[in-house]
Amino acid sequence: MASAIARSSLRKALGVARANPASTRSFSSGASVDEEAREAAKWEKITYVAIAASSILAFVNLSKGHPHFDEPPPYPYLHIRNKEFPWGPDGLFEVKEHH
């Protein structure tokens, strides 16, 4: 490992080019640099359009009013019990003053 690093740094210092240029590492499937730049620019434009469209949509949706009800709808599961607890007027964990 150390010898490979030393050879690499020695080649860089001397300016020796590799014998086989095809052995350089390629991060894509052989696409040219121009194609990659165009593709990156395309996706950058798509991103900006998507940001603008979602911002406009959010502004429109948030600027609309929504209904407010004076009293909540009479759902049966919201029935409040007014009956005393079976163990008396106090709760289980607090003691209320009785007047």
Side-chain angles (χ1 to χ4, degrees):
M1 179 76 176
S3 63
I5 294 172
R7 273 186 272 136
S8 174
S9 60
L10 184 61
R11 281 186 188 146
K12 286 181 185 176
L14 296 175
V16 176
R18 288 183 170 226
N20 186 4
S23 66
T24 60
R25 188 172 182 180
S26 175
F27 289 104
S28 66
S29 63
S32 70
V33 176
D34 293 334
E35 287 179 41
E36 291 175 358
R38 281 194 302 269
E39 189 73 14
K42 176 183 82 171
W43 282 105
E44 184 179 10
K45 290 173 188 170
I46 289 172
T47 301
Y48 290 140
V49 168
I51 290 171
S54 61
S55 298
I56 291 169
L57 183 64
F59 178 76
V60 168
N61 283 337
L62 292 175
S63 65
K64 289 181 186 177
H66 55 274
H68 290 273
F69 299 107
D70 293 332
E71 293 185 23
Y75 295 122
Y77 58 84
L78 293 177
H79 176 69
I80 298 173
R81 294 184 55 168
N82 292 326
K83 186 173 147 184
E84 284 192 18
F85 295 114
W87 51 83
D90 297 332
L92 280 178
F93 302 106
E94 71 267 356
V95 176
K96 299 177 187 172
E97 289 188 29
H98 302 287
H99 296 283

